[in-house]
Amino acid sequence: MPPSGEQISVPQARRIALAAQGFGTARPAAIHHGHLRRTVERLGLHQIDSVNVLTRAHYLPAFSRLGTYDPALLDRAAWGRRSERRLFEYWAHEASLLPLATHPLLRWRMARGDRGEAGYSGMRIFAGERRAEAMAVLDRIRQEGPLAASDFESSRTGWWEWSDSKRMLEWLFYAGHITTATRRRSFERVYDLTERVIPPTILALPTPPEGEAHRLLIEQSARALGIATAGELRDYFRLAPQEAQVAIAALVEAGVLIPASVQGWPQAFLHREARRPRRIEAQALLAPFDPLIWERARTERLFGFRYRIEIYVPAQKRQHGYYVLPFLFGDRLVARVDLKADRKTSRLLVHATHHEPDAPSETGEALQAELASLARWLGLAEISSG
């Protein structure tokens, strides 16, 4: 691997990354399904998280880039009628919503799961000695139609047995035998046979060899990131280091990735089509699981912004708050706000606001405007601080 390559400054790298992530262009006046589709395709995925203190995290990346879109567009694309579906759920960078075209690129992971070579250790037993039990669960879904874990719980006694059924369902999901048909109001996943959910035109697409799939996933990561280290490229779709190393080397040789040197970074790589804007004008609140910032070391290198989610930190030990969103202004992260949607009183609660030491004087006004936009999008009548 070339030791350095093209010299890129940190501010240049930051602008390249922001442009690749869809920032720096004007938000559309009227947002339709095409805008949402292009956003998800650009990012490669929306990470799913069930925490609903503000809104579920997979809705926020599109809001950050597009503005006040209708979340029903995402619901229909992910969990609507088969003819409306444009997304599917699977393990990519954690649990994720992905464009249907990505399905063939992840079948190698499903096959490994089916053989018991991948997935959480508690699930792997169902690929071998307890496979017959999992197949019985699969047969019940085949005969009865879409079912959730709670449907199995109601027919058994005791928490342990339900947990076992859940692990079987998760193994069947990881191995590609079933997928998410829909989500209930509680956000509980409802499973169905993959062939009854994923459109037949997608299932008919050829399955690439593992090495080719790895290269295509790394290229997709590079497009989404613009400029990235090898670790960041592999982390996007959670590839193993050796798999990523081989794929990156092949893409460098093909001229798809350009080695680059950024001060203070490990070896970096540019996607050959990455835009290199001289200026970025952006204004956005970012979910904790937004792909711009989910890799915390990268966030610190790009923005000089140390960010940690403190949901699992005891309240008295939290530094910034429970559900904290960084605020992007221009090409910098200049503040962070601890937010909650109080739906009973129709208020957006701003528990705390922290400005960075070098935040520009316009930060407060810009942040208030973005909070107002967020409140409108969430259907909340007012903003309350403190």
Side-chain angles (χ1 to χ4, degrees), residues 132-143:
E133 295 173 63
M135 290 298 108
V137 168
L138 181 64
D139 191 54
R140 181 175 167 186
I141 293 172
R142 180 178 290 111
Q143 293 181 32

Side-chain angles (χ1 to χ4, degrees), residues 42-336:
R42 177 194 290 274
L43 300 182
L45 55 88
H46 280 197
Q47 185 175 329
I48 297 170
D49 187 76
S50 61
V51 174
N52 198 26
V53 65
L54 182 67
T55 188
R56 300 198 194 277
H58 46 277
Y59 294 110
L60 278 162
F63 169 75
S64 299
R65 290 153 179 81
L66 299 174
T68 53
Y69 78 103
D70 181 359
L73 292 173
L74 183 63
D75 290 339
R76 288 196 294 270
W79 304 296
R81 295 193 303 269
R82 199 176 190 185
S83 60
E84 296 178 305
R85 296 218 177 200
R86 300 295 180 267
L87 307 172
F88 74 105
E89 285 189 36
Y90 192 60
W91 289 96
H93 183 95
E94 303 295 336
S96 303
L97 287 170
L98 302 114
L100 285 170
T102 311
H103 189 273
L105 306 187
L106 292 168
R107 290 176 190 162
W108 61 272
R109 182 169 285 164
M110 299 174 193
R112 288 186 186 180
D114 188 60
R115 297 192 298 267
E117 298 169 1
Y120 295 118
S121 58
M123 300 190 306
R124 296 188 186 196
I125 192 172
F126 300 109
E129 59 188 88
R130 297 187 63 184
R131 190 181 186 96
E133 295 173 63
M135 290 298 108
V137 168
L138 181 64
D139 191 54
R140 181 175 167 186
I141 293 172
R142 180 178 290 111
Q143 293 181 32
E144 297 183 24
L147 294 170
S150 59
D151 297 317
F152 290 85
E153 179 185 19
S154 64
S155 65
R156 295 169 181 261
T157 57
W159 178 88
W160 186 87
E161 288 83 1
W162 172 86
S163 180
D164 228 25
S165 297
K166 174 65 175 176
R167 288 193 296 128
M168 292 182 206
L169 288 165
E170 284 301 304
W171 174 75
L172 290 166
F173 178 84
Y174 196 99
H177 297 291
I178 58 177
T179 190
T180 307
T182 189
R183 291 274 187 167
R184 291 179 178 167
R185 289 183 64 86
S186 62
F187 204 60
E188 183 182 22
R189 180 185 282 155
V190 180
Y191 304 89
D192 199 2
L193 303 182
T194 298
E195 59 267 29
R196 294 201 296 230
V197 176
I198 303 294
T201 53
I202 298 298
L203 295 177
L205 293 172
T207 302
E210 282 196 14
E212 182 182 346
H214 297 159
R215 288 192 297 277
L216 291 168
L217 289 171
I218 289 289
E219 182 178 1
Q220 193 165 330
S221 303
R223 284 184 183 275
L225 294 170
I227 184 168
T229 66
E232 292 158 3
L233 290 172
R234 79 171 183 83
D235 178 68
Y236 212 84
F237 287 98
R238 297 290 165 87
L239 301 182
Q242 180 60 29
E243 295 165 350
Q245 183 179 351
V246 171
I248 290 168
L251 292 167
V252 168
E253 184 176 359
V256 175
L257 296 183
I258 302 168
S261 176
V262 184
Q263 185 176 3
W265 286 34
Q267 175 68 60
F269 302 90
L270 272 165
H271 191 278
R272 64 184 174 189
E273 296 175 6
R275 290 177 51 228
R276 305 187 188 197
R278 295 184 178 181
R279 185 178 179 85
I280 289 284
E281 295 291 342
Q283 185 171 302
L285 290 160
L286 302 169
F289 309 107
D290 191 292
L292 179 66
I293 58 169
W294 67 29
E295 215 294 319
R296 308 308 190 203
R298 173 180 171 86
T299 302
E300 203 158 346
R301 285 196 300 268
L302 277 172
F303 298 99
F305 187 92
R306 189 180 188 277
Y307 178 54
R308 300 292 185 273
I309 188 164
E310 299 180 275
I311 288 174
Y312 304 110
V313 176
Q316 66 274 18
K317 294 184 178 181
R318 290 180 196 136
Q319 184 177 1
H320 296 109
Y322 180 80
Y323 199 76
V324 174
L325 277 65
F327 179 53
L328 173 68
F329 185 44
D331 67 351
R332 296 160 55 197
L333 296 177
V334 298
R336 61 191 92 201

